[in-house]
Amino acid sequence: MLFALICKDKPGKLQVRLDTRPEHVAFLEGLNGENKLAFAGPFLDTDGKPNGSLVVVEAPDLAAAEALSAADPYAKAGLFESVEIRQWNWTFNKPAAT
């Protein structure tokens, strides 16, 4: 199952995001290597600066998606004001299975 992790940064925490980014990227690369990452990227504010994240993961159930979310270095650093986890169905432009 796919789950969308919709993460909103706490106000004024851009530096936390920037400082933690190398660990976050390594975490996502690990998920990708385990075929657990569908796609990911930051939300941007009106100035083009990141202020949240959209991460779509493959997990067997909500509890497993919650565990992946909690393991993200951004979450561990206290970056997020909120995280919404929703089951998601990729309908259009889904890459062909290889």
Side-chain angles (χ1 to χ4, degrees):
M1 282 182 248
L2 291 173
F3 290 89
L5 314 179
I6 304 162
C7 311
K8 181 178 176 183
D9 292 2
K10 292 177 182 172
K13 294 296 184 180
L14 178 58
Q15 194 60 51
V16 172
R17 175 177 279 274
L18 297 175
D19 291 346
T20 312
R21 187 171 189 280
E23 292 88 358
H24 170 73
V25 169
F27 172 75
L28 293 180
E29 288 172 345
L31 291 180
N32 198 45
E34 297 170 2
N35 294 318
K36 294 180 181 178
L37 180 66
F39 60 86
F43 291 112
L44 304 176
D45 65 16
T46 57
D47 295 324
K49 294 186 178 158
N51 65 355
S53 299
L54 172 61
V55 180
V56 178
V57 297
E58 178 74 36
D61 53 35
L62 179 59
E66 289 171 339
L68 289 175
S69 177
D72 186 328
Y74 280 167
K76 290 181 176 183
L79 174 62
F80 299 134
E81 177 177 86
S82 64
V83 177
E84 181 181 4
I85 301 175
R86 299 185 62 179
Q87 191 173 346
W88 187 73
N89 183 29
W90 196 333
T91 305
F92 291 98
N93 295 324
K94 183 176 182 179
T98 56

